[in-house]
Amino acid sequence: MNGGVPDVQEKRAEWGKFIAQTDRRHLVFLDESGVNTNLTRRYGRSIGGKRAADHTPLNTPKTTTVLSSMRMNGSCVAVTYEGGTTGKRFVRYLKDHLIPSLKPGDIVVM
């Protein structure tokens, strides 16, 4: 312990003990991911010192975000939207989607 504050190794050991005793059917894993189709390389290589040429789209697609939670049995609660996750969107996901799907004893892991 460092000045009365548990260190990372102690916290990991506590988590390991806790999770070993937990019914895994009550675990709900929350995650966010995003996709942007504007993934054009800016630089290229060619054989024999020739110039590398390519084309890129004129428009810039927006990012699509997926905010979801998944259980060990594969069931999930997900939403998608354009743009990134804001605090307002996250709270809306919790209130409108995740919380109504929870059962007594569920543990949300972020």
Side-chain angles (χ1 to χ4, degrees):
M1 206 176 266
N2 184 8
V5 178
D7 66 3
V8 173
Q9 289 179 340
E10 289 175 14
K11 288 181 179 182
R12 284 185 181 154
E14 288 175 18
W15 172 254
K17 290 176 188 173
F18 171 76
I19 203 69
Q21 299 169 359
T22 300
D23 182 351
R24 286 169 173 75
R25 292 176 293 181
H26 288 288
L27 295 177
V28 182
F29 298 92
L30 177 63
D31 196 20
E32 172 199 29
S33 60
V35 175
N36 187 321
T37 57
N38 189 22
L39 300 175
T40 305
R41 293 178 183 250
R42 292 186 175 184
Y43 304 96
R45 295 182 184 184
S46 65
I47 298 174
K50 295 181 181 177
R51 186 178 184 96
D54 200 357
H55 301 282
T56 60
L58 296 176
N59 63 339
T60 304
K62 292 186 177 182
T63 299
T64 300
T65 299
V66 179
L67 188 56
S68 65
S69 59
M70 183 175 283
R71 295 177 180 273
M72 297 294 285
N73 67 5
S75 67
C76 67
V77 176
V79 295
T80 60
Y81 46 84
E82 279 191 6
T85 300
T86 62
K88 193 174 187 178
R89 283 181 170 167
F90 184 70
V91 169
R92 190 175 327 128
Y93 170 76
L94 293 177
K95 286 182 178 179
D96 297 344
H97 301 281
L98 181 60
I99 292 172
S101 76
L102 296 176
K103 298 172 183 69
D106 283 348
I107 300 168
V108 178
V109 180
M110 294 176 55

